[in-house]
Amino acid sequence: MACGGGGGGSGSTAGVASSTSAPTVPAAAAAVAPQAAPVGGAAAPEATVSPAGTAAVPATTAATTTAYTVFGVITDVRIQNITASAQTNLPVTFGQVFAAGDLMPADSLVGRFNDGTEVPLQLDVKATHPDGSVRHAVVSGLIPSLNASETRLLSLMKTNAPHASGMGPKTLLLNGFSSSVHATINGVRYSVSADDIIKTGGAYQTWLAGAVANEWQVSAPLTSADGVAHPHLTARFAIRWYNDIKKARVDVTLENNWAYEPNPQNFTYDAEVMVRGAVVYSKPGLTHYHHSRWRKVFWWGGDASQALIKHNVGYLIASRAVPNYDQSVVVPEATFTELKSKWTGAAIEPMGIGMAIPYMPSTGGRVDLGLLPGWAATYLLTMEGRAKEVTLGTADLAGSWSSHYRDKNTDRPVSLIDYPYMTIAGIPTDTRNPVTKQLEAFPKCALGASCSSPYTYDSAHQPAFAYLPYLVTGDYYYLEELQFWAMVNVFGTNPGYRNNIQGLLEPEQVRGQAWSMRTLAEAAFITPDSDRLKSHFARILTSNLDWYNKAYTDNSAANVFNVLDMKSAVVYNNRRGIAPWQDDFFTSAIGHAAELGFSGAQKLLSWKAKAPVIRMTDPGICWIDAALYSMNIRDSETSPLYKTMSQVADASETATFRSLECGSAAMASFLKLKVGEMTGYSDSIAGYPSNMQPALAYAVDARLPNAAAAWSKFMARTVKPNYGNSPEFAIVPR
């Protein structure tokens, strides 16, 4: 098995009156049209609609009020009542990605059910495409009614409705809102109250603003009764207020995260969260690891979490925000049952890690790796509730790792651009900034205190925890989780090795380069336009892509096998060989970055994606062994690289194997495999051929010579995995 292969945007509300007489429009098609027109098949008949609170006016009737137009369907979501009781005025808020050209920031959305009932929708734009169209937004609405266990299809339609403004957080106080966090440490009770922060005029950030939902974020350190603030523990509240129903979603995070606060350490305390004067969560003796955080979500004014949002999978994939996972994969009920059976106990409590593996560097075939981990790929393809619970829950618990460093100066994840010499590796003198004359090393653990954790993270085996959860929810917690992981990967090495502010990844293991590039590209792609970190991630990503393109794409002397061959790559067989499966991981990560739209990645892919194609089609090596574990590319550590795949095969495979006809019965008998079965655990979802599949798919998408033939040969192999069990590598050409 493969080792390891195996700031807010502007608020916008479509104030559209419900109208059962409005024409019904077809559901969105799965494919994204290349033109700028709305996606979704035939355009819907236009309907002229009055502003909210007035009667709908037929298009043929002269209106006495300012009217606006409802255009065609962009995409749709399914909304499921997950209770056994009928629900009314059910609040929904979710994240939505849009294909380039489908929606402009000045546009609005309205939802329409199949019976013609319309639902006003609020659109909070977060990120835009280079053409100015909306890339990612948070959508909010109130669903008038859902029967018990009912699922309804809501079409998302573009309108030119006017925007509605939001309100300030003091609205919460007028309605009696209260929520607080408490931690008792060695008999001293520390507390912080969200309503007190608002009452005293504390700073707040607006995340959502409009007529349907307003969300404000406030934070403060926990403070003792005599006014002494705890130096490390800080509570963060994200309070989402639905004014029409007078209910609030209270998102509470407790952090031990400050990057440069002296004496970092673990703290053990009795935790307590209160909402509306009642204890909603308590945990005695909770050990909070250094540079980690935990999160819980509650409701004020009554639970309103009874809706399951199911996105249009075809549209999500066609938008290119997520890879092209094979939508023909059938996930059996047993997969969901198994996921749910594991979702229990201490693993899903604060400081647990859910489905993740405690020691990330563990070797062997695993379901947590790939462009998405297995549980997240399962959720993406099915939108099934149990898979969503596990996917979002494990993203919540990704905060438990001691990998979260927040800058007190900015109150954001610490940035390499601000501290180019910071690191968690090397010695303090390596971190001296020649401009500021300051050492940028993080403070060491407090003398005599514990900084131990049961969890070890690394970049080489790091799951994609938070990107998909942020896409589908728009929750700020997941955005920062993505940013924390993207940044720790680039400052985790010695400053000199990474070229300081450039954050170069090339000294890392190839698989570490792969997953770090994946996470870095996702952070640069989806971070809101107004967030200062967006340009930081883009700058670091560009530095890395420029390095790879200079070393390979634009280098006439680059190796003919199109593999990474730097010192950190050629580490197998006494530094004679590389790991093709790790190289395939890197190719797939660059393919993902390319379809996210980064031109440097598109350029690099045109060179890099030839590697799996060569192994599948070059006559010098048998395609049966194209996913080999290691591949020698030179005679010794000091020898020049080979020039042909025949030389590679001669140096990497036995003479007996080389003497057999490729794909023959004799070869199969020698290998103890079926005729047409590839080596490297071809039946495993984490085997080497599975690791190779996304890289080959991206080669086809890049329109490389022989790529289509390589894919056809690969898909014609006689033994394949059942990706229904875990589809993390089930990526196919677009």
Side-chain angles (χ1 to χ4, degrees), residues 336-411:
F336 303 122
T337 302
E338 183 180 3
L339 282 174
K340 185 65 175 178
S341 71
K342 294 178 179 179
W343 196 249
T344 185
I348 65 172
E349 285 295 313
M351 294 294 106
I353 54 171
M355 297 294 289
I357 294 175
Y359 185 71
M360 275 191 196
S362 295
T363 59
R366 296 159 50 162
V367 301
D368 59 336
L369 299 186
L371 297 179
L372 286 175
W375 58 81
T378 298
Y379 160 61
L380 173 64
L381 287 174
T382 66
M383 290 289 127
E384 203 273 344
R386 288 163 292 183
K388 184 173 188 177
E389 179 184 12
V390 168
T391 299
L392 301 189
T394 301
D396 289 342
L397 296 163
S400 300
W401 303 83
S402 294
S403 57
H404 298 71
Y405 293 81
R406 188 181 293 278
D407 185 357
K408 266 191 175 181
N409 293 330
T410 64
D411 202 36

Side-chain angles (χ1 to χ4, degrees), residues 3 7 20 85 219 226 312 340 367 372 375 382 430 433-434 531 646:
C3 173
T20 55
S85 303
S219 65
D226 55 3
N312 184 313
K340 185 65 175 178
V367 301
L372 286 175
W375 58 81
T382 66
D430 292 339
N433 188 320
D531 190 330
S646 290

